[in-house]
Amino acid sequence: MAILPAQPDNSWNFIFRQNIGLVLVLVSGAAMILGYDKDYISNGYLTTFCLVVALVALLLHESRPFKRWENITQEVDEMNREKESAELRRKQE
């Protein structure tokens, strides 16, 4: 697992890599809404193109550089430990 920096880099490259997935999904949705039932491209091609763009955006979104710090399995382990310690305290009383 990679060690994340205390603060993410705020350069344009970081901002681009962090948000490109969202931007592509919005572009794909807008293209689908605005381009459907127009005469310059068939609906099948437009739908396929927008689906491919949305899937690429999903992959880019999942590979963004800065994600949530905590790991969900660590959170669940901590909750289970707290629950077990509370049960032990009740048994001791």
Side-chain angles (χ1 to χ4, degrees):
M1 183 166 97
I3 297 173
L4 296 175
Q7 284 284 40
D9 181 20
N10 287 327
S11 67
W12 286 108
N13 185 30
F14 171 80
I15 293 170
F16 175 78
R17 289 178 54 212
Q18 184 72 14
N19 297 312
I20 188 64
L22 175 65
V23 170
L24 285 177
V25 161
L26 293 175
V27 167
S28 175
M32 179 63 99
I33 291 169
L34 297 174
Y36 208 77
D37 285 337
K38 302 291 190 248
D39 291 333
Y40 56 86
I41 189 171
S42 74
N43 291 339
Y45 289 137
L46 178 67
T47 304
T48 304
F49 173 75
C50 290
L51 178 64
V52 168
V53 170
L55 289 175
V56 168
L58 175 66
L59 291 173
L60 291 172
H61 173 75
E62 289 302 320
S63 65
R64 68 191 190 278
F66 187 71
K67 296 182 183 179
R68 211 171 140 228
W69 289 106
E70 295 87 16
N71 186 351
I72 190 67
T73 56
Q74 291 173 345
E75 291 177 12
V76 170
D77 288 342
E78 289 174 11
M79 288 171 42
N80 288 337
R81 275 188 250 129
E82 289 174 5
K83 186 177 176 183
E84 289 172 0
S85 64
E87 288 175 3
L88 286 174
R89 280 188 299 238
R90 267 186 274 147
K91 287 181 182 179
Q92 290 175 352
E93 293 175 354

